Amino acid sequence: MSNLCRDDFDSGPKHVFSIEDGLWLGNLTAAIDLAFLRSNGINYIITVDSCPLPEIILDLRDINVKYIQVTDMDGEDLLSHFDSAYEFIKKGQEKSSVLVHCYYGISRSASIITAYIMKKYKISFDDAFQRVKIKNAAALPNSGFQAQLSLYETLGWKIDKNNMQFKLFRLKIAARKVKKVKILPQDCIDVIKGDPSLICARPDPKVYRCRKCRRILALQSNVLPHYTNEKLSWKDSKLSSDYSSSQLCSDTIFVEPMTWMSVSQFESGKINCPKCRFKLGSYSWTMGCQCQCGAKVFPAFYLVPFKIDYSGFLQNVQATV
């Protein structure tokens, strides 16, 4: 099994369904059935699987393939691919027909098509999924993908990297990968935010500074708010609304990981001021942290409140580090 490739698998009989004009949902067997592809004018294929299609299909010059490497596990990130998949399907439908497939044609491919239907018609996850379900009764995204589709609806059918739920979602994905490989992989480096002490064209009006040397540590937008005695979860829709600050706990300041923290090489450690080396807090990708209020945060990057100050930002001033 050391040379395992897509040709080594058999996904069973062909299962394929026409979702709407120019859009098909199917399994791997359908994707490698050249006669089926030709007879239905399919020149665009999205593969959502752990392995790409065999070369017999990939080598065809008139077939355009988008490969999304995702396994059918509820902890996988499919959400980040929804926008690019939408553009690919839209282009494919304008020029010919599109097949979206995974191994069995049940979970991953159904999720991609549901997201496409949501965005195209500006409808809810439930309404879009029902349209898919009518065409393929076996379609059933796993629970993790269903939650991601619900978040996609909350985001207004477009990835918003500044949305608090999306930030927490990406952090959770990154934490799971760190737990497996012990360091932060490159495909999750986006969760590490830039150094807020550097020049900002449009800075937040308030910032967090080291109490000892006054070095800027974080912007207000870097803070991950949490409610008293509640587990911080990316699935909590309250985080996408205008939550009241009076409802939030301030016993511990949880923030996004930032470049100055140097947290990408280890699972856990201390957070020190990069200028004066004053210990400010700690972090843990894999264990998380429980605030004094009872709230559980995972992963966790926290600053101790009495070691930092909350003050105004001096625009166009660059800190010396």
Side-chain angles (χ1 to χ4, degrees):
M1 297 293 285
S2 59
N3 295 318
L4 196 64
C5 64
R6 185 76 289 166
D7 305 88
D8 297 313
F9 293 94
D10 178 9
S11 58
K14 179 174 65 182
H15 294 292
V16 64
F17 306 88
S18 175
I19 303 302
E20 62 177 34
D21 289 344
L23 181 58
W24 297 80
L25 166 63
N27 63 354
L28 172 62
T29 305
I32 60 177
D33 186 335
L34 190 55
F36 164 73
L37 299 177
R38 296 299 191 207
S39 64
N40 289 282
I42 295 173
N43 296 104
Y44 287 77
I45 299 175
I46 293 184
T47 297
V48 196
D49 207 345
S50 56
C51 298
L53 285 171
E55 292 183 359
I56 190 174
I57 300 297
L58 295 177
D59 288 344
L60 296 173
R61 294 184 178 181
D62 60 336
I63 298 292
N64 301 278
V65 178
K66 178 178 177 61
Y67 175 45
I68 300 174
Q69 187 174 29
V70 171
T71 60
D72 190 18
M73 303 289 288
D74 60 10
E76 287 273 21
D77 178 5
L78 199 53
L79 172 61
S80 295
H81 300 282
F82 286 166
D83 282 352
S84 61
Y86 172 85
E87 295 299 331
F88 185 89
I89 296 173
K90 180 182 177 183
K91 180 180 179 181
Q93 278 191 303
E94 290 171 350
K95 295 188 174 184
S96 60
S97 292
V98 185
L99 169 66
V100 181
H101 83 93
C102 53
Y103 192 65
Y104 289 116
I106 294 175
S107 178
R108 289 165 288 185
S109 52
S111 298
I112 290 292
I113 286 186
T114 299
Y116 174 76
I117 297 295
M118 289 168 63
K119 187 178 180 73
K120 180 178 181 179
Y121 298 104
K122 302 295 187 290
I123 59 177
S124 69
F125 160 48
D126 288 338
D127 289 343
F129 181 55
Q130 284 307 310
R131 293 192 185 190
V132 176
K133 194 77 171 175
I134 288 173
K135 300 292 185 176
N136 177 11
L140 184 62
N142 68 43
S143 60
F145 296 158
Q146 289 185 39
Q148 292 173 43
L149 286 162
S150 293
L151 178 52
Y152 196 52
E153 177 184 344
T154 299
L155 294 174
W157 315 288
K158 183 178 181 180
I159 298 302
D160 178 4
K161 294 182 179 180
N162 293 318
N163 176 273
M164 189 59 63
Q165 279 185 265
F166 184 75
K167 287 182 179 183
L168 293 173
F169 168 73
R170 285 295 297 160
L171 279 171
K172 192 64 174 289
I173 294 294
R176 284 174 172 165
K177 292 190 176 184
V178 170
K179 189 172 184 178
K180 289 182 179 179
V181 299
K182 308 306 178 185
I183 64 171
L184 184 69
Q186 282 298 310
D187 63 356
C188 289
I189 203 67
D190 60 288
V191 303
I192 305 292
K193 304 305 178 182
D195 190 335
S197 74
L198 303 180
I199 296 174
C200 295
R202 299 174 64 184
D204 288 3
K206 296 289 185 178
V207 298
Y208 291 88
R209 298 174 181 270
C210 172
R211 179 161 291 184
K212 185 175 181 180
C213 71
R214 310 301 297 162
R215 203 262 195 197
I216 295 173
L217 304 170
L219 306 178
Q220 180 60 43
S221 57
N222 294 130
V223 175
L224 303 177
H226 66 283
Y227 294 91
T228 300
N229 202 32
E230 285 190 24
K231 181 179 180 180
L232 186 60
S233 171
W234 66 268
K235 298 177 183 179
D236 187 352
S237 60
K238 294 196 300 292
L239 296 173
S240 289
S241 61
D242 295 327
Y243 41 80
S244 171
S245 59
S246 62
Q247 299 175 304
L248 303 176
C249 171
S250 58
D251 290 343
T252 304
I253 308 299
F254 293 98
V255 296
E256 299 174 280
M258 287 166 273
T259 52
W260 64 263
M261 294 179 178
S262 301
V263 297
S264 62
Q265 299 299 314
F266 302 97
E267 292 183 64
S268 61
K270 299 177 181 179
I271 296 178
N272 299 318
C273 174
K275 184 178 180 181
C276 69
R277 307 311 300 169
F278 184 48
K279 183 183 176 182
L280 302 167
S282 299
Y283 74 92
S284 175
W285 286 101
T286 56
M287 298 299 292
C289 174
Q290 182 166 335
C291 178
Q292 295 179 16
C293 74
K296 295 181 180 179
V297 179
F298 166 77
F301 309 83
Y302 71 87
L303 305 176
V304 179
F306 69 80
K307 295 187 176 184
I308 58 177
D309 284 327
Y310 187 51
S311 62
F313 188 100
L314 297 178
Q315 190 169 1
N316 295 325
V317 174
Q318 184 169 5
T320 302
V321 296

